[in-house]
Amino acid sequence: MNEILNVIESSCIKISQLIKNSNSNELGSLANEYNISGDDVKKLDLMANEILKKDLSKIKIISCLGSEEDKNLVFLNNSGEYMVCFDPLDGSSNIDVNITTGTIFAIYKLENGVIKNGRNIVAAGYCLYGGSTQLIIANQEQVNMYQLINNQFQLIKDNLKIRNMGSIYAINEANKYIWDDYRYLKLVNNLIEKNYTTRWVGSLVADAHRTILKGGFFSYPSNKINPEGKIRLLYEAYPFAFIFEKVGGYSSNGKINLLDVDFPNDIHQKTTIILSSKFEFDIFSNL
Ligand code: FDP
């Protein structure tokens, strides 16, 4: 498995260099395509996807790859035990304004060629392309944070843990009149009364990363326009649910722990997502 993580690390360095050394207007321009989820595809999404697929396809222990940008799984080796899934470039709408984007990934151990749910993950993480490039890797034991310094990832914090309570909630409040579930509005009002403030970068990687470091509540609930939610289970929600469990936080689809949601066989399945520290999660759970 370390072999897979090493390759993802080096792919992320390539993507980071591409972002830092290219014209952001150009990278953020439309590739005149839509992905399977109906999102606009930017040139950088496609370039990042090609980098990851090319690099990972050399690894013999990988059975298949699942990417946000590919309609179907890409099968590599019959004898491979692992499935690697990724969102090559999360937060695409922030590319042209030079705001943090990222790569999200999960490594799944297959059971008889399939996965049951998020508990098949053996390692997950994300790379943030922001003011600096940082890589967060969670394995079964702990979550470590690395920073790209002189073109090498150096450990800057080991065994990350989330605090019990934060002071920020992150939710796209512009959707509040179309949320399917009244509890989100109740929670927001409750947190405002407690003097919480709002942050919404609009890149899952950045909003979830801040929630890990500062605590608080992050959610993208389903709504009338996105009845299944917006965040994809296999390469966004499950990996972050795994990371949040390892740092001592909470994840949910509004009903149960995201890691226990059965994998529905559609690699692009969407879900409601909640990522939170304990205090806010308890309030939500009691609404
Ligand atoms: P994007 O479409 O820019 O890739 O996963 C999709 C995502 O970003 C998340 O990163 C982000 O949290 C969310 O969509 C933002 O959606 P809104 O623009 O509806 O707020």
Side-chain angles (χ1 to χ4, degrees):
M1 207 186 51
N2 280 342
E3 191 188 357
I4 302 177
L5 288 172
N6 289 340
V7 166
I8 291 175
E9 247 180 59
S10 76
S11 302
C12 289
I13 294 176
K14 289 180 197 167
I15 298 168
S16 173
Q17 283 167 344
L18 189 62
I19 294 172
K20 295 205 186 294
N21 298 315
S22 309
N23 174 335
S24 59
N25 299 313
E26 185 55 26
L27 285 180
S29 63
L30 294 177
N32 291 326
E33 285 182 35
Y34 292 97
N35 64 22
I36 192 75
S37 300
D39 306 326
D40 281 334
V41 174
K42 308 284 168 63
K43 286 188 182 152
L44 183 60
D45 295 80
L46 297 182
M47 290 158 120
N49 193 36
E50 286 315 309
I51 289 172
L52 280 155
K53 280 201 306 188
K54 187 166 173 238
D55 291 352
L56 288 165
S57 60
K58 295 174 191 140
I59 303 180
K60 298 274 175 296
I61 55 172
I62 300 179
S63 161
C64 56
L65 301 176
S67 165
E68 184 192 8
E69 302 307 335
D70 290 311
K71 188 165 182 243
N72 299 309
L73 291 175
V74 176
F75 286 91
L76 298 177
N77 305 292
N78 283 339
S79 58
E81 295 172 283
Y82 297 98
M83 170 168 77
V84 181
C85 296
F86 46 87
D87 179 352
L89 212 282
D90 172 63
S92 312
S93 59
N94 280 328
I95 299 169
D96 54 352
V97 285
N98 193 20
I99 287 175
T100 301
T101 55
T103 297
I104 308 168
F105 63 90
I107 305 173
Y108 295 87
K109 181 97 193 281
L110 298 170
E111 289 172 47
N112 302 318
V114 292
I115 64 161
K116 187 176 180 302
N117 54 34
R119 303 224 174 259
N120 284 85
I121 293 181
V122 288
Y126 56 94
C127 188
L128 289 163
Y129 311 111
S132 63
T133 296
Q134 295 185 333
L135 181 66
I136 280 66
I137 298 181
N139 58 28
Q140 297 289 6
E141 281 81 48
Q142 61 176 30
V143 183
N144 293 335
M145 181 171 171
Y146 304 83
Q147 184 164 324
L148 194 61
I149 300 171
N150 296 328
N151 223 26
Q152 271 191 332
F153 279 115
Q154 298 182 16
L155 183 69
I156 55 166
K157 190 154 181 45
D158 68 344
N159 204 12
L160 274 181
K161 290 290 170 204
I162 190 169
R163 59 185 70 179
N164 267 340
M165 178 186 177
S167 56
I168 296 171
Y169 68 89
I171 196 163
N172 187 341
E173 240 173 305
N175 295 328
K176 69 180 172 186
Y177 300 120
I178 55 167
W179 287 334
D180 289 328
D181 186 333
Y182 72 95
R183 289 178 299 167
Y184 295 95
L185 198 50
K186 276 187 123 175
L187 179 79
V188 164
N189 290 336
N190 184 312
L191 295 178
I192 292 171
E193 276 167 23
K194 292 185 169 59
N195 289 326
Y196 276 59
T197 192
T198 320
R199 293 283 184 277
W200 186 251
V201 179
S203 293
L204 169 62
V205 273
D207 286 310
H209 182 66
R210 186 197 53 249
T211 308
I212 293 171
L213 296 189
K214 298 192 168 184
F217 185 88
F218 167 88
S219 181
Y220 203 113
S222 66
N223 60 48
K224 303 274 175 288
I225 295 167
N226 299 292
E228 293 182 323
K230 191 177 180 202
I231 301 304
R232 275 55 60 102
L233 198 54
L234 200 59
Y235 41 81
E236 295 181 312
Y238 279 155
F240 270 110
F242 180 85
I243 297 163
F244 266 70
E245 186 161 285
K246 299 298 169 197
V247 295
Y250 294 78
S251 79
S252 172
N253 67 351
K255 298 185 184 95
I256 61 169
N257 187 318
L258 269 167
L259 289 173
D260 295 319
V261 174
D262 282 341
F263 176 58
N265 279 326
D266 172 2
I267 67 165
H268 300 291
Q269 177 68 42
K270 295 175 179 180
T271 179
T272 283
I273 184 172
I274 294 172
L275 303 169
S276 179
S277 47
K278 184 175 187 327
F279 179 76
E280 300 79 5
F281 192 74
D282 285 346
I283 299 178
F284 179 83
S285 304
N286 288 316
L287 290 173

